[in-house]
Amino acid sequence: MIIGVTSVIVTDQSKAKAFYTDALGFQVKYDFPVDAAGNRWLTVVSPERPDGVELLLSDNSNPISQAFQQGMREQNIAAINFNTSDIAAEHERLAAAGVVFTMPPTDIGAVIMAVFDDTCGNLINLVQEKG
């Protein structure tokens, strides 16, 4: 068994698509409508592993999704973790692309972690394992 798709709740799928592709550098895997309300099955993948795990940018129009996303944000809990082998270079690249970090790369023990805002209601952890 493998993980095929995981999701992150976003406030606006079009805005999320732009951020996750233009700023973060992911590639769209699927983007098609799923209902009359305009919700889409919108997934992105890492260009480093285009056949790897897909990240579903899931619309938060459901009140339960909205409450969950808001609660996570209020508690400063990241919605998802992205791993990198060079956090300093990745931080520099993303900051140059306009990504706003709420925490710069910080040594927190077993990992170095930075936190950024995905512009769609979430905090995201960027993590480098120390080894």
Side-chain angles (χ1 to χ4, degrees), residues 16-32:
K17 179 181 179 180
F19 180 81
Y20 280 77
T21 57
D22 297 342
L24 299 186
F26 291 118
Q27 299 172 337
V28 173
K29 179 85 174 206
Y30 294 106
D31 185 0
F32 56 85

Side-chain angles (χ1 to χ4, degrees), residues 48-76:
E48 297 170 38
R49 293 190 184 157
D51 293 322
V53 176
E54 296 172 47
L55 178 62
L56 175 64
L57 305 177
S58 181
D59 178 75
N60 82 341
S61 58
N62 182 308
I64 295 170
S65 296
Q66 293 169 8
F68 176 76
Q69 185 181 39
Q70 181 179 348
M72 293 283 284
R73 182 70 187 231
E74 288 173 359
Q75 294 293 312
N76 289 317

Side-chain angles (χ1 to χ4, degrees), residues 118-131:
D118 79 348
T119 74
C120 299
N122 303 295
L123 296 174
I124 307 294
N125 287 340
L126 181 62
V127 178
Q128 177 184 335
E129 295 179 13
K130 288 168 51 178

Side-chain angles (χ1 to χ4, degrees), residues 36-52:
N39 293 314
R40 297 151 45 194
W41 183 264
L42 172 56
T43 65
V44 295
V45 294
S46 169
E48 297 170 38
R49 293 190 184 157
D51 293 322

Side-chain angles (χ1 to χ4, degrees), residues 1-5 51-53:
M1 182 180 332
I2 63 167
I3 298 170
V5 178
D51 293 322
V53 176

